[in-house]
Amino acid sequence: MAAPKVAVVGAGVIGLSTALCIMETCPSCSVTILSEQFSPNTTSDVAAGMLIPHTYPGTPIHVQKQWFKETFTYLFAISNSAEASEAGIHLVSGWQVFKNTPKEELPFWSDVVLGFRPMSKAELQKFPQHQFGQAFATLKCDCPPYLLWLEKRLKATGVQMYTRKVADLWELHSEYDIVVNCTGIGAHQLVGDKKLFPIRGQVLKVHAPWVKNFIRDGDGLTYIYPGIHRITLGGTREKENWSLSPDPGTSKDIFDRCCSLEPSLGGAQDIQVKVGLRPSRQCVRLQREVLSQGGVKLPVVHNYGHGAGGFSVHRGTAKEAACLVGECIAALQDSSSRAKL
Amino acid sequence: MRVAVIGAGVIGLSTALCVHEQFHSLLPSLELEVYADHYTPHTTSDGAAGLWQQPPLCCFHHRLWNKETFDYLLGLLGSPAAKEMGLFLISGYNLFTQPVPDPSWKNIVLGFRNLTPKELELFPGYSYGWFNTALMLECRRYLPWLTNRLTQRGVKFFHKKVESFQEMFAQGVDVVINCTGVRAGELQPDPELQPGRGQVIKVLAPWVKHFIITHDIESGIYTSPYIIPGSEFTVLGGIYQHGNWNEANSAQDHKTIWESCCRLLPALQKAKIVDEWSGLRPARPRVRLERETIRHGQVQAQVIHNYGHGGFGITIHWGCAMAAARLFGSILQEKKLASSLQPRL
């Protein structure tokens, strides 16, 4: 078949990186991105974009590690290049501190990040309420810059992008050969996935340029992530909460918790509040499906449900999704050549 | 008891504060004054990036003063004053082209360790290095903060160029504290004091969160590129010219700094240049921190010298200020001033 027409639905970090991977593996494809929202209004734009993986209970650890490693390697190369500032990728070092020593002292990703080691006693003195900690350096993807950089690279390869709310994947069957579903939390309604649920996160983005290190409480609830222009202060993990409206009481609570980790934040300026719904699932839904109605088939590749770990594994899952798209193309070519016989 | 501090850089102001803090209640007659021809933001200190780090391969014997300064600043980190002082933690990399012994300050800073092979991939051309967390103290904020503390304490400031120690004694000053930095030779010849000219380019590169300091053992300290991110802009440097008094920016040095720093961190190519500055490090084989008795008519007047801190003035300033304060205490003891004189060390 000439130039398979692929629609990628969703323009967050997953949609854009998946589209880019498809173009890299299948340059003859015609890829179009359809999304209700683009940067700066996606869930990805709210996230700090720190490469510290979330653990998916339903995915084998070696798979998660592979996804993380691919993503880290990819971004490491960008951070080391002249494009780093435009892409919003930069190295940050810091500390993950625990009030109680964790059961697992060595997370699966400890040898992927840089310089991972336990914190010294002297370093821990800065955190009197915490008993144990880990120091390391990792990468951060600032949004919107990273998404805008991905969009720029996509446009350079000829990918078209349209603002469009897709109500049903089937509506695309006449215009496209393959659909890639990167709709994040939108998949709950779009494909009726009841295993997908939001974990609401509220964050503050503040101006505090003297904060150069990240600090994260091992409980995952309180964190300070320095971005290029702003520091992301977090956060919350509210399961099944669909509200996108900022809550002022929550903002105060986040601010207080972060100030107790880093007192100098008391002098932070220009506090902005943002809310995002982590598209959470036991495991990332990364699989093929064939929709069919009345004898007509529409191959679909799903790539959603990355929860709190989207940035950490985005490139790894995008590559796998691109492989699945390749399989779909092969299957289509196979059946179309058989149809000719 | 009139005390005149000459010089209002980081050394002069911190010494004044230390002396006043320690002695004003023990010595009610203490009148402290600061004299300088340059005040912030026009002092040598103002141009410095502000990173606490003793040059690792130099054999200065100042470990205790450096440690005292680091510990003092670390203690202030969590206080509300930190932001106003321009004080914050910063981590980063020291890079070498060959293995070197660990620095004397490895246990002073936080989390000191060697670089892993993967980290060294970030820095082609460098095969060995360290990572640690240290402190930044930005003088553009620290000096005004010191000035405010001193003003609150009733210390008076005079904007004038002091031509000689005698000039001060003739006015009735009892003790002079000489913190005149690179131009101390104008008050008293000192062939060991030389300018160590440096030049820096200030850029906007807010994505840089670490200091990166390279070292070239052959060519000497501060001659190899370094990148130090501050709270507003990032300082690029790597120039050291011994004996060069020229404070004008050099196009050749600009080229050297720019090219070598961009090679070190390619993303800098996109950074916007906002300023350029040249300054004279007050270089000396050792810091001059000692008392001197000077005849003034019938009187034996006292001078405490505290100058010659090279490129590590910020790193060492508080330890030196306390040492100078101890010297002041010894002067008071000799004069048998203040009844139960117990200098707080």
Side-chain angles (χ1 to χ4, degrees):
Chain A
M1 69 189 317
K5 297 202 294 284
V6 182
V8 174
V9 187
V13 69
I14 300 303
L16 298 182
S17 56
T18 302
L20 193 59
C21 280
I22 295 170
M23 288 309 292
E24 287 168 9
T25 54
C26 174
S28 63
C29 281
S30 157
V31 176
T32 306
I33 297 177
L34 307 170
S35 185
E36 201 184 349
Q37 303 289 357
F38 283 83
S39 180
N41 298 314
T42 69
T43 305
S44 304
D45 289 289
V46 180
M50 284 294 284
L51 256 64
I52 299 177
H54 166 78
T55 302
Y56 302 101
T59 305
I61 291 291
H62 76 271
V63 173
Q64 300 186 47
K65 186 167 179 178
Q66 183 55 29
W67 287 342
F68 181 55
K69 209 163 169 197
E70 289 219 48
T71 308
F72 196 92
T73 304
Y74 172 70
L75 295 174
F76 188 74
I78 301 171
S79 79
N80 228 358
S81 76
E83 303 220 44
S85 62
E86 195 196 333
I89 311 292
H90 56 106
L91 197 63
V92 221
S93 59
W95 307 284
Q96 178 166 240
V97 290
F98 298 82
K99 290 195 168 117
N100 302 297
T101 306
K103 276 183 287 144
E104 202 191 55
E105 287 195 14
L106 267 189
F108 74 82
W109 42 266
S110 62
D111 60 343
V112 179
V113 298
L114 303 175
F116 185 97
R117 61 172 170 82
M119 282 167 74
S120 65
K121 266 217 193 78
E123 287 174 300
L124 276 165
Q125 277 179 2
K126 189 167 137 52
F127 306 102
Q129 293 165 3
H130 295 77
Q131 310 245 13
F132 178 80
Q134 299 150 340
F136 56 95
T138 187
L139 297 163
K140 185 179 187 299
C141 298
D142 269 38
C143 279
Y146 185 54
L147 296 193
L148 294 177
W149 181 80
L150 286 172
E151 286 182 22
K152 188 172 165 190
R153 293 193 68 175
L154 286 163
K155 283 177 185 149
T157 66
V159 170
Q160 309 268 39
M161 298 183 219
Y162 299 104
T163 302
R164 172 172 165 177
K165 182 171 166 67
V166 174
D168 185 330
L169 290 183
W170 186 255
E171 79 190 47
L172 303 172
H173 79 274
S174 54
E175 305 159 70
Y176 299 97
D177 302 308
I178 299 166
V179 169
V180 187
N181 173 18
C182 303
T183 52
I185 194 64
H188 181 90
Q189 182 166 51
L190 182 61
V191 298
D193 185 344
K194 298 288 181 275
K195 294 191 203 150
L196 179 72
F197 56 95
I199 295 184
R200 181 184 183 280
Q202 184 163 320
V203 293
L204 308 178
K205 307 241 179 188
V206 311
H207 183 73
W210 58 88
V211 176
K212 306 285 186 193
N213 295 97
F214 74 80
I215 305 170
R216 177 178 203 269
D217 192 308
D219 68 12
L221 268 180
T222 307
Y223 49 83
I224 296 162
Y225 293 142
I228 294 175
H229 297 291
R230 309 194 133 251
I231 317 288
T232 300
L233 307 183
T236 65
R237 291 188 172 208
E238 302 157 87
K239 214 172 152 188
E240 300 283 7
N241 185 339
W242 288 88
S243 168
L244 281 169
S245 305
D247 176 73
T250 302
S251 290
K252 181 173 188 315
D253 178 58
I254 293 170
F255 193 72
D256 290 343
R257 281 188 274 126
C258 289
C259 283
S260 81
L261 278 183
E262 177 53 70
S264 73
L265 283 171
Q269 304 276 318
D270 190 26
I271 298 174
Q272 295 172 1
V273 194
K274 295 212 185 287
V275 179
L277 307 177
R278 299 176 186 83
S280 309
R281 216 170 173 276
Q282 283 276 61
C283 60
V284 176
R285 188 177 183 199
L286 192 39
Q287 62 186 184
R288 287 167 63 186
E289 187 187 0
V290 180
L291 304 180
S292 68
Q293 273 187 38
V296 182
K297 294 195 200 295
L298 177 64
V300 173
V301 173
H302 296 286
N303 186 10
Y304 67 84
H306 300 72
F311 278 90
S312 297
V313 298
H314 75 274
R315 176 77 180 175
T317 56
K319 283 183 84 166
E320 200 172 310
C323 276
L324 295 177
V325 169
E327 287 177 18
C328 292
I329 294 172
L332 283 173
Q333 287 173 332
D334 210 37
S335 64
S336 95
S337 59
R338 262 190 274 123
K340 289 196 183 96
L341 290 173
Chain B
M1 156 74 62
R2 275 184 68 197
V3 178
V5 173
I6 312 178
V10 67
I11 301 299
L13 297 185
S14 60
T15 303
L17 185 63
C18 200
V19 167
H20 200 273
E21 279 179 349
Q22 292 194 19
F23 295 103
H24 84 282
S25 54
L26 295 166
L27 188 61
S29 68
L30 178 64
E31 273 177 45
L32 193 55
E33 296 157 0
V34 175
Y35 291 81
D37 55 3
H38 292 110
Y39 282 88
T40 180
H42 305 294
T43 70
T44 306
S45 307
D46 289 289
L51 178 66
W52 185 102
Q53 180 163 298
Q54 176 71 25
L57 305 171
C58 288
C59 50
F60 297 103
H61 313 286
H62 303 314
R63 191 183 172 278
L64 183 59
W65 291 338
N66 291 330
K67 178 170 163 52
E68 287 175 337
T69 306
F70 192 89
D71 291 344
Y72 165 71
L73 294 174
L74 195 65
L76 288 174
L77 249 195
S79 76
K83 187 198 168 194
E84 209 193 319
M85 286 167 76
L87 175 65
F88 53 92
L89 277 177
I90 186 168
S91 306
Y93 305 88
N94 277 281
L95 303 172
F96 303 87
T97 52
Q98 62 192 79
V100 293
D102 289 346
S104 61
W105 40 263
K106 66 182 272 200
N107 294 320
I108 300 175
V109 297
L110 302 175
F112 179 92
R113 62 173 174 83
N114 285 339
L115 292 181
T116 63
K118 196 147 149 227
E119 287 174 304
L120 284 164
E121 280 176 40
L122 285 166
F123 310 110
Y126 296 95
S127 57
Y128 190 82
W130 309 322
F131 180 91
N132 64 268
T133 301
L135 294 163
M136 280 286 281
L137 184 61
E138 296 183 313
C139 280
R140 279 171 11 264
R141 291 189 212 282
Y142 187 48
L143 298 195
W145 182 84
L146 286 169
T147 308
N148 286 340
R149 303 280 78 69
L150 288 165
T151 306
Q152 277 169 7
R153 289 170 162 272
V155 172
K156 298 208 169 26
F157 291 85
F158 298 92
H159 201 127
K160 93 186 268 224
K161 187 175 167 69
V162 172
E163 303 290 351
S164 69
F165 297 131
Q166 301 295 354
E167 180 193 325
M168 295 279 94
F169 299 134
Q171 274 182 216
V173 168
D174 300 295
V175 178
V176 165
I177 307 183
N178 176 20
C179 305
T180 49
V182 75
R183 283 168 294 134
E186 291 177 25
L187 285 174
Q188 186 185 93
D190 181 353
E192 292 196 295
L193 177 69
Q194 290 288 318
R197 182 183 174 281
Q199 186 166 321
V200 293
I201 304 173
K202 297 180 186 179
V203 303
L204 288 177
W207 63 89
V208 179
K209 305 290 182 189
H210 299 97
F211 61 80
I212 304 171
I213 304 178
T214 67
H215 301 269
D216 183 338
I217 298 170
E218 259 90 77
S219 64
I221 194 66
Y222 308 124
T223 55
S224 197
Y226 60 81
I227 298 166
I228 302 176
S231 63
E232 283 174 70
F233 44 71
T234 298
V235 174
L236 312 181
I239 299 290
Y240 183 91
Q241 293 149 355
H242 200 76
N244 185 350
W245 284 97
N246 192 347
E247 288 180 83
N249 292 323
S250 139
Q252 177 58 50
D253 290 340
H254 172 98
K255 190 163 181 288
T256 302
I257 298 167
W258 185 255
E259 287 176 3
S260 62
C261 286
C262 284
R263 224 174 303 129
L264 189 53
L265 208 58
L268 282 175
Q269 292 163 48
K270 306 273 171 81
K272 183 172 167 216
I273 297 176
V274 293
D275 201 5
E276 191 135 7
W277 179 82
S278 298
L280 308 175
R281 300 175 184 87
R284 206 172 181 276
R286 300 174 81 114
V287 172
R288 188 178 183 197
L289 186 36
E290 62 190 7
R291 277 174 60 180
E292 187 183 0
T293 304
I294 293 190
R295 274 319 271 292
H296 174 69
Q298 305 289 61
V299 184
Q300 305 273 57
Q302 299 295 324
V303 177
I304 297 171
H305 297 286
N306 186 6
Y307 68 85
H309 305 80
F312 51 91
I314 288 158
T315 300
I316 204 172
H317 81 277
W318 193 252
C320 288
M322 293 205 289
R326 285 193 291 277
L327 290 175
F328 183 72
S330 68
I331 293 173
L332 295 185
Q333 271 190 319
E334 282 164 24
K335 289 180 194 266
K336 291 184 177 15
L337 289 163
S339 37
S340 55
L341 192 63
Q342 282 296 324
R344 294 198 308 279
L345 292 176

